[in-house]
Amino acid sequence: MKKLSLLTSALIVAASFSFSVPAMAQVNITDADRARIEERKNRKTQLPGERVGRGVTKAFELYSEEKIDEALQVLQEIRGGNDFDNAFLARFIGSLYATKDTKQAIKYLEQAVKSDLLSFADHSASLKLVADLQSMENMHKDAIRNYEAWMKFTGEQDPDVYLRIANAYYQLGDYKNVLTPIDNAIRYAKEPNKQYYMLKMGALYESKNYPKTVETVETMVQLFPEERQYWVYLGNFYTLVEDYQKSLSALQIAYNNGYLQSESELKTLGQMYANNNIPHKAAAIYEKYMKSGKIKKDRTMLNAIASNFQAARDFAKAAEYYGELAKMTNEADAYRRQGMAYLAIQKYNDAIKAFDASLAIDSRDAGKIHMSLMEAYFYQGKYREANAALQAAKRDPATERQTRSWQSYINEKARVKNISL
């Protein structure tokens, strides 16, 4: 794959993009929390009673044999001698249920952490597991509560947990609250992570904060320049802030590196050329990929090619594609436009055929078409035919006034050439 020329690209007008992530609000860890965390880490390990220990050992053996139901039955028949035993059992039962019944797993794991008696490692793992299960069950508010409890319990600024909190807010449709945790995920990550930036981009887009969406994707294409879809996103998002020049620059980079693959992507590139007043390139892109089959040949595309060639003053090409459009649709206006393109390059006979075809289909614009026919005949020196077309145009109120100046002009030319009208 070709290397992207980021430094020379017209896109990197913003060569000064900054990757620094501002300090964001995060789960608040107080000095008292830190002291408690250290105390819990250093607390003497507590062991379950003998009856619980034997039951857990037996259940674990059954679990190892993939006899989960039997393992659960053993555990649920045990009665712990104290609160720690019950928390210990609840954690083990919840962990087993996590493989088969999420709701039961959540119930037992929340019982396990409620007493705050488990070892530091077990309590920590239980909080994270119950939050993950709640997230799977679309219990996103509960999941956020337990992820935040895990962070407060452990004192860790874990980027993956911040991501999960952000994703829970996203699933709730609370897009503005996605931003703080996802920025913290980005801040604490050891290296840039595509998933974090994608979620941030999505939240900003859904919040209709298009300028910040663009800023985020500008960062993404610099961090991950060979990720083709990001260049497509950038080109599209620039249009949301009506920066069509940068949109075209981004899409040109994508195109030059072979990143534009779908029909819609290639059409967008063509549209950006048109929006930036480069109609010949717009038409050429459309034409190339319509011929290759990547862009569907239909009424809209033929019209786009023809009108862009016309805007580029390539009237021969415009006439060709208006002709194709006319054959496909049998629309009077397509023939009329083809006639106008031929008229512009002085192909008067071809213009006359196109105008006649237009009139044969629909006479609603008859006055305008007769005026165009008059010009085609006039510039061929066919003053009698020009006059006949002019008389037809006079009968249309829309063009009657227009004909007055031409009448004397045609009369004079015919007189000089000794042609009887």
Side-chain angles (χ1 to χ4, degrees):
M1 182 180 290
K2 298 185 219 169
K3 280 283 185 188
L4 299 167
S5 3
L6 294 175
L7 295 178
T8 57
S9 143
L11 169 68
I12 309 303
V13 182
S16 56
F17 293 158
S18 167
F19 301 138
S20 62
V21 179
M24 305 300 297
Q26 56 202 40
V27 175
N28 186 35
I29 309 294
T30 66
D31 289 341
D33 290 328
R34 297 188 189 285
R36 177 187 54 76
I37 291 166
E38 288 306 309
E39 184 273 323
R40 285 299 305 273
K41 283 182 177 179
N42 296 324
R43 185 187 296 179
K44 185 178 178 181
T45 302
Q46 190 172 350
L47 297 174
E50 184 179 349
R51 179 174 49 183
V52 172
R54 284 199 306 270
V56 167
T57 301
K58 183 177 180 182
F60 189 77
E61 289 171 355
L62 290 166
Y63 170 76
S64 300
E65 296 170 9
E66 299 186 3
K67 296 178 179 179
I68 295 172
D69 289 338
E70 292 86 341
L72 283 167
Q73 186 176 350
V74 167
L75 291 171
Q76 287 170 330
E77 289 174 354
I78 302 170
R79 294 293 174 267
N82 55 42
D83 289 342
F84 173 78
D85 283 354
N86 290 329
F88 187 86
L89 278 169
R91 177 180 182 266
F92 210 109
I93 293 169
S95 298
L96 289 181
Y97 266 126
T99 65
K100 57 174 292 181
D101 188 332
T102 305
K103 289 183 178 176
Q104 283 293 326
I106 291 169
K107 171 187 162 185
Y108 280 99
L109 287 167
E110 288 212 306
Q111 287 177 16
V113 298
K114 188 175 182 181
S115 61
D116 194 15
L117 292 172
L118 294 172
S119 69
F120 185 87
D122 286 350
H123 191 95
S124 168
S126 298
L127 278 172
K128 188 181 278 189
L129 178 56
V130 75
D132 287 344
L133 294 172
Q134 286 166 333
S135 187
M136 287 168 55
E137 287 293 313
N138 295 319
M139 300 166 63
H140 299 298
K141 290 182 180 178
D142 292 319
I144 291 166
R145 171 174 55 81
N146 280 308
Y147 283 132
E148 290 180 345
W150 178 88
M151 298 187 89
K152 199 159 187 176
F153 180 81
T154 62
E156 294 183 31
Q157 303 291 346
D158 187 312
D160 185 59
V161 174
Y162 273 124
L163 171 68
R164 296 180 196 199
I165 293 170
N167 187 60
Y169 278 121
Y170 191 93
Q171 297 304 320
L172 289 167
D174 189 351
Y175 303 117
K176 290 183 179 177
N177 274 324
V178 171
L179 300 176
T180 294
I182 203 60
D183 275 331
N184 280 319
I186 291 168
R187 179 184 180 193
Y188 289 107
K190 291 181 180 177
E191 57 185 35
N193 186 304
K194 296 176 187 178
Q195 191 177 2
Y196 299 172
Y197 284 96
M198 282 292 291
L199 186 58
K200 181 174 182 179
M201 178 193 77
L204 287 165
Y205 176 77
E206 294 293 346
S207 302
K208 302 190 185 305
N209 189 341
Y210 300 136
K212 287 292 183 184
T213 305
V214 168
E215 285 181 22
T216 299
V217 185
E218 285 173 341
T219 300
M220 289 164 68
V221 297
Q222 292 189 73
L223 292 173
F224 315 106
E226 294 188 1
E227 193 65 43
R228 81 161 201 93
Q229 192 62 49
Y230 296 172
W231 290 97
V232 178
Y233 290 151
L234 187 58
N236 287 329
F237 289 151
Y238 274 133
T239 67
L240 297 177
V241 293
E242 299 182 5
D243 194 334
Y244 300 117
Q245 187 174 357
K246 283 187 178 179
S247 175
L248 176 57
S249 296
L251 292 170
Q252 281 177 317
I253 291 173
Y255 179 72
N256 291 338
N257 285 277
Y259 293 167
L260 299 188
Q261 298 171 1
S262 72
E263 179 181 41
S264 64
E265 290 165 359
L266 293 165
K267 282 183 175 180
T268 301
L269 175 62
Q271 184 61 53
M272 284 308 103
Y273 276 124
N275 287 352
N276 282 277
N277 297 313
I278 314 174
H280 201 278
K281 281 202 169 185
I285 285 288
Y286 290 147
E287 180 184 43
K288 176 179 178 179
Y289 290 102
M290 187 184 74
K291 285 183 175 179
S292 74
K294 283 196 170 184
I295 291 179
K296 183 180 177 182
K297 182 178 182 178
D298 58 16
R299 179 189 182 283
T300 302
M301 186 46 53
L302 286 172
N303 187 62
I305 295 172
S307 59
N308 275 288
F309 274 131
Q310 183 166 333
R313 303 188 67 77
D314 189 339
F315 296 112
K317 279 284 197 178
E320 176 189 342
Y321 281 99
Y322 279 130
E324 285 202 42
L325 178 63
K327 286 177 187 175
M328 175 182 283
T329 64
N330 200 36
E331 291 178 355
D333 191 60
Y335 281 113
R336 182 186 70 79
R337 289 174 183 271
Q338 184 188 37
M340 295 301 294
Y342 279 133
L343 197 60
I345 52 176
Q346 301 176 18
K347 288 194 169 184
Y348 300 121
N349 286 333
D350 291 329
I352 290 165
K353 287 178 186 176
F355 292 137
D356 284 340
S358 180
L359 284 169
I361 295 166
D362 191 341
S363 61
R364 278 176 291 186
D365 285 328
K368 290 181 184 177
I369 297 171
H370 279 116
M371 285 298 292
S372 298
L373 270 170
M374 178 273 299
E375 287 189 57
Y377 283 124
F378 180 85
Y379 291 121
Q380 285 183 309
K382 297 178 179 179
Y383 302 118
R384 188 175 289 113
E385 290 87 344
N387 187 60
L390 191 70
Q391 300 313 308
K394 277 184 180 180
R395 293 192 289 271
D396 188 333
T399 51
E400 189 273 333
R401 175 181 260 177
Q402 224 178 318
T403 63
R404 295 173 191 171
S405 59
W406 275 99
Q407 185 66 75
S408 58
Y409 197 39
I410 291 172
N411 289 343
E412 177 61 19
K413 287 287 187 181
R415 186 189 67 76
V416 170
K417 294 287 186 181
N418 200 27
I419 296 173
S420 171
L421 297 178

